[in-house]
Amino acid sequence: QVRLVEFGGGLVQAGGSLRLSCAASGRTLNSYDGMAWFRQAPGKGREFVAAISWGGGTTTYADSVKGRFAISRDNAKNTVYLQMNSLKPEDTAVYYCAHGRSMTSFGSWGQGTQVTVSS
């Protein structure tokens, strides 16, 4: 099983930027694996944010973050990143890193990191 640890959350003003990191350990990731970011705002369900394929770097995004967020990975460091720009108060949530055997099904989750955007 893959173990995931997130870093980089915090408090930022609207319009600002943050970069989240997620380090994976436990087994070697292969080219078919997918890594993703989800988020959960207070009182709401967990929602998909972005995903990336470990091998080819194919990316997908939720419409709400397209053009503002960018997911990337460093295969050598077994780390995935989420660069978040032009942050809005509605981006406030706990952000979770996830791993799966594809880009659409995820079975391992990190503990989450809080992102708070003040208006």
Side-chain angles (χ1 to χ4, degrees):
Q1 185 170 351
V2 175
R3 180 172 177 264
L4 304 170
V5 180
E6 300 103 334
F7 303 93
L11 173 65
V12 64
Q13 288 189 330
S17 298
L18 278 176
R19 188 174 84 152
L20 306 182
S21 302
C22 173
S25 62
R27 71 165 180 84
T28 302
L29 302 183
N30 63 48
S31 61
Y32 299 105
D33 287 1
M35 296 285 288
W37 290 94
F38 287 74
R39 66 186 182 187
Q40 187 166 17
K44 296 187 177 181
R46 190 171 296 187
E47 67 169 347
F48 169 78
V49 175
I52 188 167
S53 65
W54 197 250
T58 302
T59 58
T60 63
Y61 295 93
D63 288 344
S64 59
V65 305
K66 278 181 182 175
R68 300 188 299 122
F69 291 11
I71 188 171
S72 61
R73 90 270 193 231
D74 185 327
N75 296 58
K77 295 182 178 180
N78 265 14
T79 298
V80 64
Y81 304 96
L82 185 69
Q83 178 65 44
M84 305 185 293
N85 301 323
S86 302
L87 282 160
K88 304 175 182 180
E90 51 264 43
D91 294 318
T92 295
V94 177
Y95 283 71
Y96 296 91
C97 178
H99 164 268
R101 298 299 182 105
S102 71
M103 286 180 66
T104 58
S105 178
F106 303 96
S108 297
W109 297 84
Q111 81 287 353
T113 186
Q114 177 70 46
V115 171
T116 303
V117 184
S118 63
S119 56

